[in-house]
Amino acid sequence: MLTGRDILTTKQFSIKELDLILKTATRFEQALKEKRVLNNLDGCIVASLFFEASTRTRLSFEAAALRLSGRVISMPEAAVSSLAKGESIADTAKTVDGYADVIVIRHAQKGSAQTAADYAAHPVINGGDGSGQHPTQALLDLYTIFKETGDVSGLTITLLGDLKNGRTVHSLSYLMAKYGNRMIFASPSSLAMPAEITAELKSLGGDVSETSDVDEALAESDIVYVTRIQRERFEDPAEYERLKGSYVIDMKTVARAKKGIKILHPLPRVDEIATEVDAYEGATYFRQAHNSIPTRMALLALVTGRA
Ligand code: NCD
């Protein structure tokens, strides 16, 4: 169903495809638990092109490829690559397309993964295109929600933080809408979800509301998805300084929230979740980071037709 496909945005998926990704991830997670050696990507090369900072996305994609017996070629920091000499994304993609069977790319420019996909015949996976989309993060978030709550629909989820610049929430919101979940957007007013995304979600039948009252939102939520303020997307550093620290989840917040609320965060965390919350059993963010392995294994295996 997904063989040969690019993964560029969460808007592209049908429920059937999403269910297949969840099922495949579950199968790989079980295989990992049983310490089975998997050869799905034997003979395959995965190109890992990260032109923007990354810890989890890059390492987990590379680990996922290795877990499936694939090999990885990795781009050094952008500064020492030819993009620094002025090469275009198109030319880079055309070139790497001849070196690998699948390309994972992260770049600060919105639309960069789409451009790479336009020029590469092999599947391109978007590892984050600026403030655009981060579909594989949203898929591992979905897998986490499924594992933590036993369901992917009928939920109320608050998306909290920098909804303007945060690509993870842009991606996750389309998946939540697709499964008919109720979404509450909570952010400082200057970091609200872009109007065109909210409008599109509504036109797709999404149940979306906005608030600035975090306590009120969390009192009704099964899940809160917290994001950091995306400092690197700010033109004016003073604006970042003004906004930083404007929302913090601590155990007092948790005590006021709906009982059993699950707290997700794509990480890295700066100061928006107090470390005291880490011991709370509904704090899923480190489990969530580990769920990236089976999810990204599933994606690599599916797009290469080797699941
Ligand atoms: C996110 C990203 O890069 O967009 N990180 C990640 O991939 N886990 C979130 C962020 O940087 O805030």
Side-chain angles (χ1 to χ4, degrees):
M1 201 169 356
L2 290 165
T3 305
R5 293 267 301 280
D6 301 309
I7 294 177
L8 302 175
T9 159
T10 48
K11 295 184 212 179
Q12 73 183 67
F13 296 113
S14 66
I15 292 277
K16 254 183 146 173
E17 289 165 343
L18 294 169
D19 288 349
L20 174 66
I21 293 166
L22 293 178
K23 254 172 84 182
T24 310
T26 304
R27 174 156 56 81
F28 282 137
E29 183 166 2
Q30 186 56 35
L32 288 175
K33 267 197 199 117
E34 292 167 11
K35 302 217 177 303
R36 281 176 26 216
V37 176
L38 300 167
N39 295 314
N40 302 58
L41 289 191
D42 192 16
C44 273
I45 295 179
V46 177
S48 162
L49 309 184
F50 281 75
F51 299 104
E52 236 196 355
S54 175
T55 301
R56 277 151 288 270
T57 306
R58 178 177 182 162
L59 289 179
S60 65
F61 255 117
E62 296 185 1
L66 296 171
R67 288 280 182 218
L68 292 169
S69 303
R71 290 170 194 228
V72 177
I73 52 173
S74 202
M75 194 68 148
E77 293 311 310
V80 292
S81 77
S82 282
L83 277 196
K85 300 182 196 162
E87 187 172 46
S88 66
I89 293 167
D91 286 1
T92 303
K94 268 196 233 176
T95 304
V96 177
D97 194 34
Y99 302 161
D101 304 287
V102 47
I103 299 170
V104 183
I105 183 168
R106 169 175 287 189
H107 191 283
Q109 196 178 306
K110 209 170 158 180
S112 49
Q114 176 68 63
T115 305
D118 290 342
Y119 290 91
H122 289 108
V124 169
I125 300 180
N126 182 4
D129 63 317
S131 58
Q133 282 261 327
H134 193 351
T136 70
Q137 176 69 43
L139 292 165
L140 77 89
D141 298 337
L142 182 70
Y143 183 59
T144 301
I145 291 169
F146 172 62
K147 280 180 63 183
E148 298 282 337
T149 71
D151 213 339
V152 286
S153 58
L155 300 163
T156 296
I157 177 167
T158 291
L159 303 182
L160 170 66
D162 186 349
L163 308 184
K164 176 181 178 211
N165 301 299
R167 53 196 174 197
T168 64
V169 284
H170 298 168
S171 286
L172 184 61
S173 59
Y174 286 94
L175 296 186
M176 293 297 96
K178 188 140 275 185
Y179 282 105
N181 293 303
R182 176 176 166 228
M183 279 180 276
I184 306 172
F185 295 159
S187 68
S189 57
S190 61
L191 300 179
M193 186 66 89
E196 64 272 18
I197 294 185
T198 306
E200 197 176 2
L201 291 167
K202 286 185 177 162
S203 76
L204 294 167
D207 179 351
V208 179
S209 57
E210 283 184 87
T211 185
S212 54
D213 189 333
V214 176
D215 280 344
E216 196 179 270
L218 299 201
E220 299 174 14
S221 295
D222 305 293
I223 295 167
V224 57
Y225 189 96
V226 189
T227 61
R228 74 181 167 93
I229 297 183
Q230 308 279 301
R231 180 185 207 153
E232 66 277 28
R233 313 274 179 234
F234 280 66
E235 272 160 32
D236 178 6
E239 177 66 359
Y240 173 78
E241 291 302 320
R242 194 179 69 76
L243 288 166
K244 79 171 187 203
S246 53
Y247 52 93
V248 176
I249 302 289
D250 56 19
M251 282 314 289
K252 288 197 200 98
T253 329
V254 175
R256 293 190 294 263
K258 184 170 173 179
K259 201 170 173 322
I261 190 167
K262 308 285 183 205
I263 305 171
L264 276 71
H265 191 307
L267 303 177
R269 151 176 70 184
V270 183
D271 57 5
E272 58 282 353
I273 300 180
T275 51
E276 65 178 13
V277 178
D278 298 359
Y280 165 61
E281 61 167 355
T284 73
Y285 27 94
F286 291 106
R287 296 196 289 279
Q288 183 183 355
H290 293 163
N291 288 333
S292 63
I293 299 287
T295 308
R296 291 185 166 127
M297 287 169 74
L299 295 173
L300 289 171
L302 286 165
V303 300
T304 53
R306 290 160 171 257

